[in-house]
Amino acid sequence: MKMKGQYLERTFIRGLETTATYLPQSQEFILHSPTLTSMKWWPGNLGKTVNHAVVMAQLFIRGKKHGIHPFIVQLRQTENHQPMKGITVGDIGPKFGFNSNDNGFLKLDHVYIPRENMLMKYAKVSPDGTYTKPPTDRLAHGSMMYIRVAFLDATAEALAKACTVAIRYCVVRRQSEMEPGDKEPQILDYQSQQPKLFPQLAMAYALYFMSMRTMKIYDNLLVELANGNYSNLQDMHALICGMKVVSTTTMSKGIEVCRLACGGHGYSHASGLPDLFTMVTHFQTAEGKNTVMLLQTARYLVKCASNAVSGENLSGQVEYLSESPQGKAAVGSYSDLLNLGVLHDAYKHRAQR
C-alpha cells in the first residue's frame, strides 16, 4: 500500500512461502520450506523443547492454491528427542530478555504427514482431495486473538508490579531535609515524584479492568462462532489489535518511568525492575508488531467511518460512529469531572471527531 511516496508497514501473510501439497493417492500432505525466507523463526519453545507444532502453510491440491491452513507436524522423535526426517530445528540464540524461552527456527524438507493432521474445523480436505471452504475468510483473524487478549492481563500485572516496587521505594527512601534539623521527607512527598508514579498506578488499574472487559467480549465471541454467527469477528479483531498496542506500549513506557523514579536503585537488579522490563517489553513486537496492529485497527475504523457518513447504521464497538454528533460535554463544575456519564460523552465526542 503506497501513500504520498511512502509505504505503510504491513505483514504479508498471504505471501507465506511454506507449502503443504496434498497427495490423494496416499492421503498425505508434503510440507516443505522451498526457500531460505520460508523458514519459521521465533516460535516459543521451538528451539529445544517441543515435539509437535501447528505449522501454517499454503495449501495446494492438484496444483491449485487454496490459501493458508494449519497443520499438526511432529518435529522430534518421542523416544530420543532427535529431529524427525526432513526437520531442521534449533534455538535462535540470546535475546534482549526472556531467554528462559527457547525461541527457535524450523525448516521443513518434504515432510510427510497424514491427511488427518490438517486442522479441519472449518476448511476441509476429503480423502479424494475435494476442498471445502470455511464459512468466511474472516476466520483467519481468530488464530492469534486469544494470545493478544492474554497480553492485556499480562501488561496490567507487569505495570502493577513496577508501581508496587517504585511506590514502596519512594515511601521508604528519604532525602534532603527541607529545614535544617528536620527529618528528611519521603521522596514520594516531592511533587516531582507524584506526577510520575500516580498516573502509572491509575493506568495499571485501567489496564486490568480493560483486560477483564475485553476477555468477556472475547468469550461471547467464541459462543457466537460456535453457533455459526461470524458477524462480530472483524469488529473483535480490530478491537483486540488496538487494545494490544495500547496496553503493551503503555506498560513498557510505564515500567521505565517507575524504574527511573527509583534513581540509581532502579538500575540495580535487586529492584526487580530491569528483569521485569526485559521480560515484558517484547510484547510490543510479539504476536504482531504494534505498528502493523495499529494500521489494522485504523483501516477498520476508517472503513466504518466512511460507511457511517454514507448513512449505514453500525453496530458493536463502532456503533457510536452512526449516532448523531455529540455536542461538547457539559462541564459546569469540578464535580462534573467525576461524573462517568460526562466523561463517557466527552470521550465519545472526541472519538467521533
Side-chain angles (χ1 to χ4, degrees):
M1 181 180 294
K2 193 174 184 181
M3 182 177 292
K4 294 183 179 179
Q6 300 295 323
Y7 287 91
L8 296 180
E9 187 170 5
R10 63 192 305 171
T11 302
F12 189 42
I13 297 296
R14 67 178 181 275
L16 191 73
E17 295 177 307
T18 306
T19 62
T21 304
Y22 184 62
L23 304 176
Q25 60 273 25
S26 61
Q27 297 186 28
E28 293 176 301
F29 293 100
I30 304 177
L31 274 86
H32 184 53
S33 304
T35 62
L36 179 65
T37 52
S38 64
M39 292 178 62
K40 306 297 182 182
W41 191 268
W42 274 113
N45 305 120
L46 176 63
K48 300 180 182 296
T49 307
V50 299
N51 290 330
H52 296 77
V54 175
V55 175
M56 306 300 292
Q58 298 277 11
L59 173 61
F60 285 86
I61 303 176
R62 299 186 180 93
K64 182 178 179 180
K65 184 167 71 172
H66 294 279
I68 301 172
H69 293 73
F71 302 85
I72 299 177
V73 180
Q74 183 172 351
L75 306 180
R76 295 178 172 94
Q77 302 175 45
T78 55
E79 297 81 6
N80 55 22
H81 206 59
Q82 294 301 304
M84 300 289 290
K85 181 181 179 182
I87 297 290
T88 302
V89 63
D91 194 289
I92 67 173
K95 304 174 290 290
F96 182 72
F98 204 27
N99 283 300
S100 58
N101 192 341
D102 55 324
N103 298 86
F105 63 85
L106 172 66
K107 188 177 189 303
L108 304 129
D109 186 3
H110 296 91
V111 176
Y112 287 72
I113 62 172
R115 182 184 67 88
E116 293 78 9
N117 280 30
M118 176 178 164
L119 299 181
M120 300 191 197
K121 183 175 182 179
Y122 298 110
K124 296 177 174 59
V125 175
S126 64
D128 66 359
T130 301
Y131 176 72
T132 303
K133 295 178 60 177
T136 173
D137 292 336
R138 293 178 179 176
L139 285 168
H141 291 165
S143 61
M144 299 179 75
M145 277 190 183
Y146 174 76
I147 189 63
R148 290 170 182 164
V149 173
F151 273 176
L152 305 186
D153 182 64
T155 55
E157 180 180 346
L159 184 56
K161 288 180 179 178
C163 290
T164 301
V165 171
I167 293 174
R168 285 179 176 177
Y169 170 81
C170 291
V171 168
V172 174
R173 174 74 169 178
R174 294 175 178 271
Q175 189 162 340
S176 301
E177 60 185 16
M178 294 295 98
E179 298 290 342
D182 285 353
K183 186 177 182 179
E184 294 181 272
Q186 299 166 313
I187 63 174
L188 188 61
D189 287 338
Y190 282 97
Q191 292 183 1
S192 61
Q193 286 292 88
Q194 294 179 12
K196 296 175 186 175
L197 295 176
F198 291 174
Q200 306 310 321
L201 179 61
M203 183 56 70
Y205 278 102
L207 291 178
Y208 174 68
F209 292 129
M210 181 186 74
S211 71
M212 290 196 300
R213 171 65 175 164
T214 306
M215 180 59 78
K216 184 177 180 180
I217 297 174
Y218 175 73
D219 288 340
N220 291 337
L221 176 69
L222 294 182
V223 174
E224 293 176 355
L225 295 179
N227 294 325
N229 180 5
Y230 310 107
S231 60
N232 291 320
L233 188 59
Q234 191 175 15
D235 189 50
M236 186 65 186
H237 171 70
L239 172 67
I240 291 179
C241 285
M243 291 297 95
K244 189 262 185 185
V245 175
V246 170
S247 64
T248 57
T249 301
T250 302
M251 172 270 303
S252 186
K253 292 180 178 179
I255 293 176
E256 181 67 354
V257 170
C258 291
R259 188 185 71 81
L260 293 174
C262 294
H265 290 84
Y267 192 66
S268 170
H269 275 284
S271 70
L273 294 175
D275 280 340
L276 178 63
F277 180 79
T278 57
M279 179 72 75
V280 298
T281 191
H282 78 283
F283 288 173
Q284 297 180 90
T285 50
E287 308 300 333
K289 185 178 178 182
N290 277 9
T291 305
V292 177
M293 296 294 96
L294 277 179
L295 287 171
Q296 293 195 32
T297 301
R299 280 193 289 266
Y300 177 70
L301 287 175
V302 169
K303 176 183 176 182
C304 291
S306 178
N307 292 341
V309 170
S310 300
E312 180 179 335
N313 289 322
L314 304 177
S315 61
Q317 303 296 323
V318 293
E319 183 178 7
Y320 68 95
L321 291 173
S322 295
E323 298 177 5
S324 299
Q326 301 289 316
K328 292 183 178 180
V331 179
S333 64
Y334 175 78
S335 61
D336 288 336
L337 296 176
L338 302 178
N339 185 316
L340 293 181
V342 172
L343 294 176
H344 179 271
D345 289 343
Y347 277 116
K348 180 185 287 188
H349 176 72
R350 186 182 73 165
Q352 286 179 315
R353 289 288 295 270

